[in-house]
Amino acid sequence: MPRTLKVAAAQLGANHLNTKRADVLARMTALLRSAAELGAQLVVFPETAFTTFFPRYRLDAVPGSDAYFDDGDTLLTSPNTRPLFDEAKTLGLDVYLGFAERSTGAGGSSSGDYNTCVYYSASRGEIIAKFRKIHLPGTLQPFEDPDAINQLEKLWFKPGDLGFEAFRVPGLVSSAKKENGKTEAGEDPLDARGDPIMGMMICNDRRWAESWRCYGLQGVEVVLCGYNTTAWAPDLCGIRKPQTYEESEIESLFQHRLVMTGNSYMNSCFSVSAGKAGVEDEKFSLIAGSMITSPDGYVLAEAKTKGDEIVFAEIDLDDCLPGKEMMFNFARHRMIHQYGRITSQTGVVEPPLLS
Ligand code: CDV
């Protein structure tokens, strides 16, 4: 029985320092409605979807930045976020939402500011998973060059502390086998598999093979990722030779496509990535390129614009099986006794110089 799923990336055009939350919510709910018209079951929004990508600024350059943060424990009830989840509930849509989290530490989670995303399940009417960005890019202090584009996430956020925990998503696949061996319809098909296995990451996490392999080792079937990727930031990205703005944007998009397709292939999973795109605050360009990729490493659907846009595909989760059972059958082929460096060493240690 096919385990098909209709997924959508909801790319958002630019937000600005003075963009009103009500306006962003109106755009996001409109995107939810467009996705629902296409029959989507899951919609993925970008990283820090409600605001401009403010970590490019120094703290003191963003007066009133408190308003950019939301409490992760009150997303379903706060007037600043509730309209999105009410709409999702009405439309029966699951949602991945990226936002800046200010955690009070209630409910046992660590307090502080995090770059966070949550997974909302419409069938449960609740948030069933949370991820806090682990690989915070950039620098703690701004570059000396006043014209350089900064990425001060290490200043604004604490590194994520929730690990890479995959989770099963209820209510999306009716043929999913339950713990008692039956499906939701009460059948007992021998070949039925469980509810979809998903994993979440945020922007820079997607560039690290380690993030993907942590999910791959949990049998992930769909990786969800929101991002804000600058189209032009020579100081930050470490280019080899001077580039024009156009060359830089093309290279940035190429590298986004490379990590989404390559890691989907190497972990035999689908991915849905949604970016914020266009020029924020009249000066800061973000790549578009929201996309859906397959376990064979193909792009199934990709954004055509630099603005608000739904990117949609119907996927069959069982397409993950050939790769998971053959080429990337981890149980059969991984050689963990040779991989010690990956968890015992952080930076590069080169071999000694030759005499
Ligand atoms: N928001 C990000 O994490 N952006 C990074 C940068 C620094 C380019 C990214 O990996 O896209």
Side-chain angles (χ1 to χ4, degrees), residues 47 53 133 137 151 153 203-204 206-207 228-230 236:
E47 171 187 34
F53 191 65
K133 185 174 184 176
Q151 185 100 2
E153 286 192 62
C203 197
N204 193 250
R206 76 198 190 287
R207 299 187 196 272
N228 283 275
T229 293
T230 174
L236 194 64

Side-chain angles (χ1 to χ4, degrees), residues 87-158:
E87 190 72 24
K89 176 85 187 153
T90 305
L91 298 168
L93 286 174
D94 284 17
V95 169
Y96 163 116
L97 171 73
F99 67 106
E101 178 188 16
R102 179 151 294 163
S103 169
T104 59
S109 75
S110 327
S111 62
D113 293 349
Y114 295 93
N115 190 340
T116 298
C117 60
V118 290
Y119 189 101
Y120 170 79
S121 159
S123 67
R124 289 273 164 90
E126 60 189 49
I127 286 163
I128 59 166
K130 182 195 273 191
F131 171 81
R132 289 170 168 165
K133 185 174 184 176
I134 289 178
H135 298 97
L136 297 177
T139 54
L140 197 54
Q141 296 301 330
F143 293 116
E144 275 175 24
D145 175 357
D147 293 327
I149 311 270
N150 289 295
Q151 185 100 2
L152 304 173
E153 286 192 62
K154 292 180 196 296
L155 177 69
W156 283 88
F157 302 117
K158 288 162 82 171

